[in-house]
Amino acid sequence: MAAGTQGEYKLPLPRMRGSAVEFYKFCKAHELRFQRCTDCAAWRHIPRDMCAKCGSFNFEWARSSGKGTLFSWTTVSQPALPQFAPLVPFSPAVIELEEGVRMLSWVVDVKPDELALGMPVEVVFDDVTPEVTLPKFRRRR
Amino acid sequence: MDSLKDKGCIVGVGESAFTRGSGKTELRLMLEASAKALDDAGLKPHDIDGIVGPPLGASAEHFAANLGIEDLRYSTYVEMGGASPVVALQSAAMAIAFGVANCVLVPCGWNGYSVMRVSAGGQGGSGATPPGPLAGTIGAYYLPYGAVAPVQWYAWLATRHMKLYGTPFETMGTIAVTARKHAQLNPQAYMRGRPLTMDDYLKSRWVSYPFRLFDCCLETDAAGAVIVTSPERARDLRRPPVYISGVAEGHPYPADDIPARPDPFVIGLTFAAPKALRMAGVTLKDLDFAEIYDCFTYVVMLQMEALGFCKRGEIKDFITPERIGLGGELPMNTHGGLHSEAHVWGINHIVEATRQLRHECGERQVKDAEVGLVTGWGDFGDGGLAILRR
Ligand SMILES: [Zn+2]
């Protein structure tokens, strides 16, 4: 269930083009997958055409364990977009996955003043609309 | 590495009025600034034969059409957000060094309050197609989580720095309070007449933790312009030339996503700083003042560490009111900066550095200023550095 929303989902949905369509397609299936080079095995996010480590165009969408730690965050009190006003304070957070990639998300079950660097978290999937699922994170114990 | 050293010099600077509600187009604001810069230099509009156009608001050809430049020999753009004006000095110096142009205009400005005000959900904060390569990243991966504004992106770096190194709010506050203090000595500063104390700073409302209201720069309608020419051409102009002794640009890696950075504190300036300093043949100890791009207080601190003024994590000991205030060892943002003069994408930092080096700054003049630096910061951490000397 989307935090702070009831009924119709009012927050902006991801603008999907190119590889983002695929990233969110896996999220809809409740799988967190990132690109991984099939030549040198380097993981990457955000998605790219090429492997920056070895120059290969070859990759697979490899499944992440979904486990990670909190790398950093901000806690928004004055949102830049009015749709987010009912949610304040909320914390766009940088999550570092076990595979080494980092992504932006929310930690849904931790109050902003309890967030801490290195806090263990794991992915949860929020089906915000019938078409779109957002990966979010909860504290891992 | 010294190929551009002293090949270009700044001979004219100008700015529009700094307001909240210009009632004018961005182009008009920038043209007014350009006309003042031309007058400052003692040049005629048709003397300009090169333009590094602004990152938004108008094209180089718009400027040429208005100014009556029939033979525009060189036009280009720098797409580095707030780093664009400083990096434009590099393009200008290159064009002049190779004889592509003789006299290059660098304008920049916007209606940052009346049209693009981020805090009112304006274009700057709507996530509605920001320029350049960032749009894809923001739209696909940041927007659904409400992270569409610079105050939020840069806060990720600030939070991590504070937690790792015990950086206190008072360090950020010192930057805000010092800028406001300097603005009291600047007749055109938007915040002149409105002093700020550390207590005011600490009591100001949260915008996006760890940033409070007074960690954020102003939202203003404002433009500035700078004219660059060769040392030879500068000889018979109105003002003493200010030499671009060192200049370089740098980009963080990857430039289009902050979370993905191997080391989040490695920014564009990390790459630009050693190049520009080596080109100029100066060390940090030689600098008489520093005009540091100050969109947010912590971004100043991040840049100071990247420049090498102190080791990473030690900025809390380096930034003191005594050191960065006028009369101190390294006066910083002597005009009040984006925090207290106006938000002009940092071109006002170049304008101020030029006036400091011409010894025109009256009450806020840095005594015997010979050499100073100006940084630019834009987008997700693009950087520029110019070492200027009289
Ligand atoms: Zn590879």
Side-chain angles (χ1 to χ4, degrees), chain B residues 283-327:
Chain B
T283 68
L284 297 175
K285 290 203 181 337
D286 299 323
L287 296 162
D288 296 311
F289 62 86
E291 314 294 0
I292 309 290
Y293 196 92
D294 57 329
C295 48
F296 301 94
T297 51
Y298 169 72
V299 172
V300 172
M301 294 148 60
L302 177 60
Q303 291 174 88
M304 294 302 282
E305 289 188 352
L307 282 162
F309 280 105
C310 60
K311 291 205 182 79
R312 182 184 296 185
E314 294 181 356
I315 194 66
K316 61 180 181 290
D317 303 316
F318 184 86
I319 297 286
T320 64
E322 296 74 25
R323 178 177 275 136
I324 69 168
L326 280 165

mmCIF file of all heavy atoms in Angstrom, chain B residues 283-327:
data_model
loop_
_atom_site.group_PDB
_atom_site.id
_atom_site.type_symbol
_atom_site.label_atom_id
_atom_site.label_comp_id
_atom_site.label_asym_id
_atom_site.label_seq_id
_atom_site.Cartn_x
_atom_site.Cartn_y
_atom_site.Cartn_z
ATOM 1 N N THR B 283 49.430 28.357 -5.627
ATOM 2 C CA THR B 283 48.954 27.404 -4.637
ATOM 3 C C THR B 283 47.824 28.067 -3.862
ATOM 4 O O THR B 283 47.604 29.286 -3.954
ATOM 5 C CB THR B 283 50.067 26.993 -3.656
ATOM 6 O OG1 THR B 283 50.399 28.129 -2.856
ATOM 7 C CG2 THR B 283 51.305 26.511 -4.415
ATOM 8 N N LEU B 284 47.132 27.257 -3.075
ATOM 9 C CA LEU B 284 45.988 27.788 -2.318
ATOM 10 C C LEU B 284 46.422 28.902 -1.369
ATOM 11 O O LEU B 284 45.662 29.810 -1.069
ATOM 12 C CB LEU B 284 45.308 26.650 -1.551
ATOM 13 C CG LEU B 284 44.692 25.551 -2.438
ATOM 14 C CD1 LEU B 284 44.158 24.412 -1.575
ATOM 15 C CD2 LEU B 284 43.578 26.110 -3.320
ATOM 16 N N LYS B 285 47.661 28.840 -0.909
ATOM 17 C CA LYS B 285 48.163 29.852 0.027
ATOM 18 C C LYS B 285 48.320 31.228 -0.632
ATOM 19 O O LYS B 285 48.372 32.249 0.048
ATOM 20 C CB LYS B 285 49.510 29.410 0.596
ATOM 21 C CG LYS B 285 49.400 28.221 1.546
ATOM 22 C CD LYS B 285 50.597 28.182 2.485
ATOM 23 C CE LYS B 285 50.589 27.004 3.450
ATOM 24 N NZ LYS B 285 49.306 26.391 3.749
ATOM 25 N N ASP B 286 48.419 31.227 -1.968
ATOM 26 C CA ASP B 286 48.601 32.499 -2.687
ATOM 27 C C ASP B 286 47.310 33.293 -2.824
ATOM 28 O O ASP B 286 47.343 34.468 -3.218
ATOM 29 C CB ASP B 286 49.141 32.233 -4.104
ATOM 30 C CG ASP B 286 50.495 31.539 -4.093
ATOM 31 O OD1 ASP B 286 51.295 31.879 -3.200
ATOM 32 O OD2 ASP B 286 50.741 30.675 -4.958
ATOM 33 N N LEU B 287 46.180 32.655 -2.530
ATOM 34 C CA LEU B 287 44.892 33.284 -2.842
ATOM 35 C C LEU B 287 44.516 34.338 -1.821
ATOM 36 O O LEU B 287 44.618 34.122 -0.614
ATOM 37 C CB LEU B 287 43.807 32.206 -2.919
ATOM 38 C CG LEU B 287 44.047 31.212 -4.058
ATOM 39 C CD1 LEU B 287 43.250 29.941 -3.839
ATOM 40 C CD2 LEU B 287 43.706 31.845 -5.399
ATOM 41 N N ASP B 288 44.072 35.473 -2.325
ATOM 42 C CA ASP B 288 43.666 36.565 -1.441
ATOM 43 C C ASP B 288 42.191 36.490 -1.062
ATOM 44 O O ASP B 288 41.766 37.103 -0.090
ATOM 45 C CB ASP B 288 43.954 37.907 -2.112
ATOM 46 C CG ASP B 288 45.447 38.108 -2.333
ATOM 47 O OD1 ASP B 288 46.213 37.904 -1.367
ATOM 48 O OD2 ASP B 288 45.842 38.440 -3.470
ATOM 49 N N PHE B 289 41.398 35.787 -1.872
ATOM 50 C CA PHE B 289 39.978 35.616 -1.565
ATOM 51 C C PHE B 289 39.443 34.457 -2.389
ATOM 52 O O PHE B 289 40.115 33.984 -3.322
ATOM 53 C CB PHE B 289 39.175 36.899 -1.860
ATOM 54 C CG PHE B 289 39.208 37.310 -3.297
ATOM 55 C CD1 PHE B 289 38.297 36.780 -4.216
ATOM 56 C CD2 PHE B 289 40.150 38.228 -3.758
ATOM 57 C CE1 PHE B 289 38.337 37.153 -5.549
ATOM 58 C CE2 PHE B 289 40.198 38.601 -5.096
ATOM 59 C CZ PHE B 289 39.286 38.063 -5.988
ATOM 60 N N ALA B 290 38.245 34.007 -2.039
ATOM 61 C CA ALA B 290 37.621 32.892 -2.764
ATOM 62 C C ALA B 290 36.135 33.176 -2.924
ATOM 63 O O ALA B 290 35.442 33.473 -1.942
ATOM 64 C CB ALA B 290 37.826 31.583 -1.995
ATOM 65 N N GLU B 291 35.666 33.124 -4.166
ATOM 66 C CA GLU B 291 34.234 33.248 -4.432
ATOM 67 C C GLU B 291 33.744 31.842 -4.789
ATOM 68 O O GLU B 291 34.052 31.320 -5.866
ATOM 69 C CB GLU B 291 33.968 34.240 -5.576
ATOM 70 C CG GLU B 291 34.747 35.571 -5.496
ATOM 71 C CD GLU B 291 34.369 36.459 -4.307
ATOM 72 O OE1 GLU B 291 33.492 36.080 -3.511
ATOM 73 O OE2 GLU B 291 34.980 37.542 -4.172
ATOM 74 N N ILE B 292 33.039 31.219 -3.863
ATOM 75 C CA ILE B 292 32.678 29.806 -3.978
ATOM 76 C C ILE B 292 31.183 29.688 -4.265
ATOM 77 O O ILE B 292 30.360 30.251 -3.529
ATOM 78 C CB ILE B 292 32.997 29.048 -2.668
ATOM 79 C CG1 ILE B 292 34.437 29.308 -2.217
ATOM 80 C CG2 ILE B 292 32.719 27.547 -2.847
ATOM 81 C CD1 ILE B 292 35.491 28.690 -3.084
ATOM 82 N N TYR B 293 30.848 28.931 -5.304
ATOM 83 C CA TYR B 293 29.440 28.759 -5.698
ATOM 84 C C TYR B 293 28.646 28.239 -4.499
ATOM 85 O O TYR B 293 28.924 27.158 -3.978
ATOM 86 C CB TYR B 293 29.323 27.791 -6.877
ATOM 87 C CG TYR B 293 27.977 27.875 -7.560
ATOM 88 C CD1 TYR B 293 27.785 28.732 -8.637
ATOM 89 C CD2 TYR B 293 26.898 27.120 -7.124
ATOM 90 C CE1 TYR B 293 26.551 28.824 -9.267
ATOM 91 C CE2 TYR B 293 25.658 27.210 -7.750
ATOM 92 C CZ TYR B 293 25.492 28.065 -8.817
ATOM 93 O OH TYR B 293 24.265 28.163 -9.434
ATOM 94 N N ASP B 294 27.653 29.017 -4.092
ATOM 95 C CA ASP B 294 27.006 28.740 -2.804
ATOM 96 C C ASP B 294 25.500 28.542 -2.938
ATOM 97 O O ASP B 294 24.719 29.169 -2.233
ATOM 98 C CB ASP B 294 27.320 29.864 -1.801
ATOM 99 C CG ASP B 294 26.896 31.247 -2.304
ATOM 100 O OD1 ASP B 294 26.923 31.487 -3.528
ATOM 101 O OD2 ASP B 294 26.529 32.094 -1.475
ATOM 102 N N CYS B 295 25.114 27.625 -3.806
ATOM 103 C CA CYS B 295 23.690 27.302 -3.902
ATOM 104 C C CYS B 295 23.159 26.808 -2.561
ATOM 105 O O CYS B 295 22.043 27.146 -2.169
ATOM 106 C CB CYS B 295 23.459 26.271 -4.991
ATOM 107 S SG CYS B 295 24.575 24.855 -4.914
ATOM 108 N N PHE B 296 23.968 26.014 -1.870
ATOM 109 C CA PHE B 296 23.633 25.545 -0.519
ATOM 110 C C PHE B 296 24.909 25.562 0.313
ATOM 111 O O PHE B 296 25.989 25.352 -0.219
ATOM 112 C CB PHE B 296 23.016 24.132 -0.551
ATOM 113 C CG PHE B 296 21.776 24.085 -1.390
ATOM 114 C CD1 PHE B 296 21.838 23.721 -2.720
ATOM 115 C CD2 PHE B 296 20.549 24.475 -0.865
ATOM 116 C CE1 PHE B 296 20.698 23.735 -3.525
ATOM 117 C CE2 PHE B 296 19.415 24.493 -1.654
ATOM 118 C CZ PHE B 296 19.483 24.118 -2.982
ATOM 119 N N THR B 297 24.752 25.810 1.617
ATOM 120 C CA THR B 297 25.935 25.977 2.470
ATOM 121 C C THR B 297 26.881 24.788 2.363
ATOM 122 O O THR B 297 28.090 24.956 2.205
ATOM 123 C CB THR B 297 25.526 26.132 3.933
ATOM 124 O OG1 THR B 297 24.628 25.063 4.273
ATOM 125 C CG2 THR B 297 24.849 27.471 4.178
ATOM 126 N N TYR B 298 26.314 23.568 2.473
ATOM 127 C CA TYR B 298 27.194 22.401 2.465
ATOM 128 C C TYR B 298 27.945 22.272 1.143
ATOM 129 O O TYR B 298 29.084 21.787 1.122
ATOM 130 C CB TYR B 298 26.418 21.098 2.765
ATOM 131 C CG TYR B 298 27.290 19.907 2.491
ATOM 132 C CD1 TYR B 298 28.358 19.606 3.345
ATOM 133 C CD2 TYR B 298 27.134 19.142 1.338
ATOM 134 C CE1 TYR B 298 29.226 18.562 3.064
ATOM 135 C CE2 TYR B 298 27.993 18.095 1.052
ATOM 136 C CZ TYR B 298 29.036 17.807 1.914
ATOM 137 O OH TYR B 298 29.894 16.797 1.610
ATOM 138 N N VAL B 299 27.337 22.711 0.058
ATOM 139 C CA VAL B 299 28.013 22.612 -1.243
ATOM 140 C C VAL B 299 29.300 23.449 -1.239
ATOM 141 O O VAL B 299 30.294 23.092 -1.882
ATOM 142 C CB VAL B 299 27.053 22.994 -2.389
ATOM 143 C CG1 VAL B 299 27.779 23.086 -3.721
ATOM 144 C CG2 VAL B 299 25.925 21.961 -2.490
ATOM 145 N N VAL B 300 29.310 24.550 -0.503
ATOM 146 C CA VAL B 300 30.545 25.324 -0.327
ATOM 147 C C VAL B 300 31.595 24.472 0.383
ATOM 148 O O VAL B 300 32.765 24.409 -0.017
ATOM 149 C CB VAL B 300 30.270 26.611 0.484
ATOM 150 C CG1 VAL B 300 31.574 27.323 0.831
ATOM 151 C CG2 VAL B 300 29.336 27.541 -0.287
ATOM 152 N N MET B 301 31.164 23.788 1.439
ATOM 153 C CA MET B 301 32.100 22.975 2.228
ATOM 154 C C MET B 301 32.668 21.826 1.399
ATOM 155 O O MET B 301 33.868 21.527 1.452
ATOM 156 C CB MET B 301 31.373 22.446 3.471
ATOM 157 C CG MET B 301 30.994 23.577 4.425
ATOM 158 S SD MET B 301 29.466 23.268 5.347
ATOM 159 C CE MET B 301 29.860 21.778 6.217
ATOM 160 N N LEU B 302 31.796 21.191 0.637
ATOM 161 C CA LEU B 302 32.201 20.096 -0.246
ATOM 162 C C LEU B 302 33.261 20.580 -1.235
ATOM 163 O O LEU B 302 34.270 19.920 -1.480
ATOM 164 C CB LEU B 302 30.950 19.587 -0.975
ATOM 165 C CG LEU B 302 31.069 18.494 -2.022
ATOM 166 C CD1 LEU B 302 31.645 17.217 -1.434
ATOM 167 C CD2 LEU B 302 29.696 18.204 -2.634
ATOM 168 N N GLN B 303 33.036 21.769 -1.794
ATOM 169 C CA GLN B 303 33.995 22.321 -2.760
ATOM 170 C C GLN B 303 35.313 22.707 -2.089
ATOM 171 O O GLN B 303 36.387 22.530 -2.676
ATOM 172 C CB GLN B 303 33.401 23.546 -3.456
ATOM 173 C CG GLN B 303 32.242 23.218 -4.399
ATOM 174 C CD GLN B 303 31.613 24.497 -4.933
ATOM 175 O OE1 GLN B 303 32.024 25.034 -5.944
ATOM 176 N NE2 GLN B 303 30.610 24.992 -4.238
ATOM 177 N N MET B 304 35.234 23.240 -0.876
ATOM 178 C CA MET B 304 36.479 23.622 -0.187
ATOM 179 C C MET B 304 37.351 22.401 0.068
ATOM 180 O O MET B 304 38.581 22.457 -0.072
ATOM 181 C CB MET B 304 36.156 24.336 1.131
ATOM 182 C CG MET B 304 35.466 25.681 0.968
ATOM 183 S SD MET B 304 36.404 26.867 -0.024
ATOM 184 C CE MET B 304 37.609 27.402 1.207
ATOM 185 N N GLU B 305 36.714 21.278 0.426
ATOM 186 C CA GLU B 305 37.482 20.038 0.617
ATOM 187 C C GLU B 305 38.025 19.543 -0.724
ATOM 188 O O GLU B 305 39.167 19.089 -0.808
ATOM 189 C CB GLU B 305 36.618 18.968 1.294
ATOM 190 C CG GLU B 305 36.339 19.295 2.759
ATOM 191 C CD GLU B 305 35.641 18.166 3.519
ATOM 192 O OE1 GLU B 305 35.228 17.168 2.886
ATOM 193 O OE2 GLU B 305 35.513 18.281 4.755
ATOM 194 N N ALA B 306 37.225 19.654 -1.775
ATOM 195 C CA ALA B 306 37.680 19.205 -3.103
ATOM 196 C C ALA B 306 38.835 20.072 -3.607
ATOM 197 O O ALA B 306 39.735 19.591 -4.302
ATOM 198 C CB ALA B 306 36.525 19.243 -4.102
ATOM 199 N N LEU B 307 38.814 21.356 -3.254
ATOM 200 C CA LEU B 307 39.904 22.253 -3.659
ATOM 201 C C LEU B 307 41.192 21.932 -2.917
ATOM 202 O O LEU B 307 42.279 22.286 -3.367
ATOM 203 C CB LEU B 307 39.512 23.713 -3.377
ATOM 204 C CG LEU B 307 38.553 24.367 -4.382
ATOM 205 C CD1 LEU B 307 37.919 25.612 -3.782
ATOM 206 C CD2 LEU B 307 39.270 24.713 -5.676
ATOM 207 N N GLY B 308 41.064 21.301 -1.764
ATOM 208 C CA GLY B 308 42.250 20.926 -0.996
ATOM 209 C C GLY B 308 42.599 21.893 0.123
ATOM 210 O O GLY B 308 43.705 21.844 0.660
ATOM 211 N N PHE B 309 41.669 22.766 0.485
ATOM 212 C CA PHE B 309 41.941 23.682 1.604
ATOM 213 C C PHE B 309 42.097 22.919 2.923
ATOM 214 O O PHE B 309 42.737 23.402 3.853
ATOM 215 C CB PHE B 309 40.835 24.733 1.730
ATOM 216 C CG PHE B 309 40.985 25.860 0.761
ATOM 217 C CD1 PHE B 309 40.158 25.950 -0.353
ATOM 218 C CD2 PHE B 309 41.953 26.838 0.946
ATOM 219 C CE1 PHE B 309 40.294 26.990 -1.261
ATOM 220 C CE2 PHE B 309 42.095 27.886 0.050
ATOM 221 C CZ PHE B 309 41.266 27.956 -1.066
ATOM 222 N N CYS B 310 41.455 21.752 2.999
ATOM 223 C CA CYS B 310 41.622 20.890 4.166
ATOM 224 C C CYS B 310 41.339 19.470 3.718
ATOM 225 O O CYS B 310 40.864 19.246 2.608
ATOM 226 C CB CYS B 310 40.681 21.300 5.300
ATOM 227 S SG CYS B 310 38.941 21.199 4.828
ATOM 228 N N LYS B 311 41.648 18.509 4.605
ATOM 229 C CA LYS B 311 41.361 17.109 4.274
ATOM 230 C C LYS B 311 39.865 16.850 4.388
ATOM 231 O O LYS B 311 39.137 17.575 5.069
ATOM 232 C CB LYS B 311 42.107 16.203 5.238
ATOM 233 C CG LYS B 311 43.619 16.212 5.066
ATOM 234 C CD LYS B 311 44.200 14.894 5.594
ATOM 235 C CE LYS B 311 45.714 14.873 5.496
ATOM 236 N NZ LYS B 311 46.343 15.657 6.598
ATOM 237 N N ARG B 312 39.449 15.782 3.753
ATOM 238 C CA ARG B 312 38.040 15.409 3.831
ATOM 239 C C ARG B 312 37.621 15.188 5.287
ATOM 240 O O ARG B 312 38.313 14.513 6.047
ATOM 241 C CB ARG B 312 37.780 14.136 3.036
ATOM 242 C CG ARG B 312 36.319 13.760 3.052
ATOM 243 C CD ARG B 312 36.067 12.471 2.363
ATOM 244 N NE ARG B 312 36.383 12.551 0.938
ATOM 245 C CZ ARG B 312 36.149 11.556 0.087
ATOM 246 N NH1 ARG B 312 35.625 10.434 0.507
ATOM 247 N NH2 ARG B 312 36.440 11.694 -1.194
ATOM 248 N N GLY B 313 36.511 15.783 5.630
ATOM 249 C CA GLY B 313 35.999 15.638 6.987
ATOM 250 C C GLY B 313 36.496 16.711 7.940
ATOM 251 O O GLY B 313 36.032 16.802 9.070
ATOM 252 N N GLU B 314 37.466 17.514 7.486
ATOM 253 C CA GLU B 314 38.049 18.519 8.387
ATOM 254 C C GLU B 314 37.516 19.930 8.138
ATOM 255 O O GLU B 314 38.011 20.891 8.722
ATOM 256 C CB GLU B 314 39.578 18.497 8.253
ATOM 257 C CG GLU B 314 40.165 17.186 8.752
ATOM 258 C CD GLU B 314 41.688 17.144 8.665
ATOM 259 O OE1 GLU B 314 42.286 18.111 8.147
ATOM 260 O OE2 GLU B 314 42.250 16.136 9.125
ATOM 261 N N ILE B 315 36.503 20.039 7.293
ATOM 262 C CA ILE B 315 35.998 21.370 6.961
ATOM 263 C C ILE B 315 35.441 22.074 8.196
ATOM 264 O O ILE B 315 35.473 23.300 8.292
ATOM 265 C CB ILE B 315 34.945 21.292 5.824
ATOM 266 C CG1 ILE B 315 34.658 22.667 5.232
ATOM 267 C CG2 ILE B 315 33.662 20.613 6.284
ATOM 268 C CD1 ILE B 315 35.802 23.293 4.498
ATOM 269 N N LYS B 316 34.970 21.296 9.154
ATOM 270 C CA LYS B 316 34.412 21.902 10.373
ATOM 271 C C LYS B 316 35.475 22.699 11.135
ATOM 272 O O LYS B 316 35.156 23.639 11.851
ATOM 273 C CB LYS B 316 33.791 20.838 11.279
ATOM 274 C CG LYS B 316 34.731 19.759 11.777
ATOM 275 C CD LYS B 316 33.970 18.770 12.667
ATOM 276 C CE LYS B 316 34.860 17.674 13.225
ATOM 277 N NZ LYS B 316 35.305 16.710 12.201
ATOM 278 N N ASP B 317 36.737 22.311 10.982
ATOM 279 C CA ASP B 317 37.803 23.058 11.649
ATOM 280 C C ASP B 317 38.305 24.216 10.786
ATOM 281 O O ASP B 317 38.829 25.195 11.296
ATOM 282 C CB ASP B 317 38.977 22.120 11.970
ATOM 283 C CG ASP B 317 38.516 20.948 12.835
ATOM 284 O OD1 ASP B 317 37.748 21.201 13.786
ATOM 285 O OD2 ASP B 317 38.895 19.804 12.532
ATOM 286 N N PHE B 318 38.148 24.076 9.465
ATOM 287 C CA PHE B 318 38.660 25.112 8.560
ATOM 288 C C PHE B 318 37.747 26.340 8.529
ATOM 289 O O PHE B 318 38.215 27.481 8.536
ATOM 290 C CB PHE B 318 38.815 24.546 7.139
ATOM 291 C CG PHE B 318 39.418 25.525 6.180
ATOM 292 C CD1 PHE B 318 40.797 25.654 6.071
ATOM 293 C CD2 PHE B 318 38.603 26.348 5.398
ATOM 294 C CE1 PHE B 318 41.356 26.571 5.194
ATOM 295 C CE2 PHE B 318 39.164 27.271 4.523
ATOM 296 C CZ PHE B 318 40.541 27.382 4.419
ATOM 297 N N ILE B 319 36.436 26.081 8.472
ATOM 298 C CA ILE B 319 35.491 27.202 8.333
ATOM 299 C C ILE B 319 35.282 27.877 9.688
ATOM 300 O O ILE B 319 34.638 27.319 10.580
ATOM 301 C CB ILE B 319 34.134 26.704 7.786
ATOM 302 C CG1 ILE B 319 34.296 26.113 6.383
ATOM 303 C CG2 ILE B 319 33.086 27.828 7.798
ATOM 304 C CD1 ILE B 319 34.503 27.117 5.280
ATOM 305 N N THR B 320 35.832 29.050 9.835
ATOM 306 C CA THR B 320 35.563 29.850 11.036
ATOM 307 C C THR B 320 35.184 31.256 10.575
ATOM 308 O O THR B 320 35.604 31.683 9.492
ATOM 309 C CB THR B 320 36.803 29.955 11.948
ATOM 310 O OG1 THR B 320 37.834 30.665 11.233
ATOM 311 C CG2 THR B 320 37.317 28.577 12.351
ATOM 312 N N PRO B 321 34.400 31.962 11.379
ATOM 313 C CA PRO B 321 34.022 33.327 10.978
ATOM 314 C C PRO B 321 35.255 34.201 10.758
ATOM 315 O O PRO B 321 35.262 35.053 9.867
ATOM 316 C CB PRO B 321 33.203 33.840 12.166
ATOM 317 C CG PRO B 321 32.793 32.639 12.937
ATOM 318 C CD PRO B 321 33.830 31.576 12.678
ATOM 319 N N GLU B 322 36.291 33.965 11.572
ATOM 320 C CA GLU B 322 37.497 34.792 11.444
ATOM 321 C C GLU B 322 38.192 34.536 10.115
ATOM 322 O O GLU B 322 38.611 35.473 9.435
ATOM 323 C CB GLU B 322 38.473 34.483 12.594
ATOM 324 C CG GLU B 322 37.938 34.833 13.975
ATOM 325 C CD GLU B 322 36.872 33.855 14.481
ATOM 326 O OE1 GLU B 322 36.866 32.680 14.030
ATOM 327 O OE2 GLU B 322 36.035 34.277 15.311
ATOM 328 N N ARG B 323 38.325 33.270 9.744
ATOM 329 C CA ARG B 323 39.086 32.945 8.534
ATOM 330 C C ARG B 323 38.369 33.381 7.258
ATOM 331 O O ARG B 323 38.996 33.933 6.354
ATOM 332 C CB ARG B 323 39.365 31.448 8.472
ATOM 333 C CG ARG B 323 40.120 31.058 7.206
ATOM 334 C CD ARG B 323 40.473 29.582 7.180
ATOM 335 N NE ARG B 323 41.713 29.312 7.878
ATOM 336 C CZ ARG B 323 41.903 28.306 8.719
ATOM 337 N NH1 ARG B 323 40.924 27.464 8.965
ATOM 338 N NH2 ARG B 323 43.064 28.132 9.301
ATOM 339 N N ILE B 324 37.051 33.135 7.161
ATOM 340 C CA ILE B 324 36.360 33.393 5.886
ATOM 341 C C ILE B 324 35.692 34.761 5.830
ATOM 342 O O ILE B 324 35.103 35.118 4.818
ATOM 343 C CB ILE B 324 35.339 32.271 5.554
ATOM 344 C CG1 ILE B 324 34.152 32.293 6.526
ATOM 345 C CG2 ILE B 324 36.016 30.909 5.515
ATOM 346 C CD1 ILE B 324 32.994 31.416 6.071
ATOM 347 N N GLY B 325 35.782 35.517 6.919
ATOM 348 C CA GLY B 325 35.214 36.859 6.915
ATOM 349 C C GLY B 325 36.178 37.863 6.301
ATOM 350 O O GLY B 325 37.388 37.618 6.220
ATOM 351 N N LEU B 326 35.660 38.996 5.863
ATOM 352 C CA LEU B 326 36.512 40.073 5.351
ATOM 353 C C LEU B 326 37.523 40.451 6.427
ATOM 354 O O LEU B 326 37.175 40.580 7.598
ATOM 355 C CB LEU B 326 35.656 41.289 4.975
ATOM 356 C CG LEU B 326 34.957 41.176 3.616
ATOM 357 C CD1 LEU B 326 33.861 42.229 3.500
ATOM 358 C CD2 LEU B 326 35.971 41.304 2.474
ATOM 359 N N GLY B 327 38.782 40.592 6.016
ATOM 360 C CA GLY B 327 39.847 40.848 6.968
ATOM 361 C C GLY B 327 40.523 39.574 7.424
ATOM 362 O O GLY B 327 41.570 39.613 8.076
#
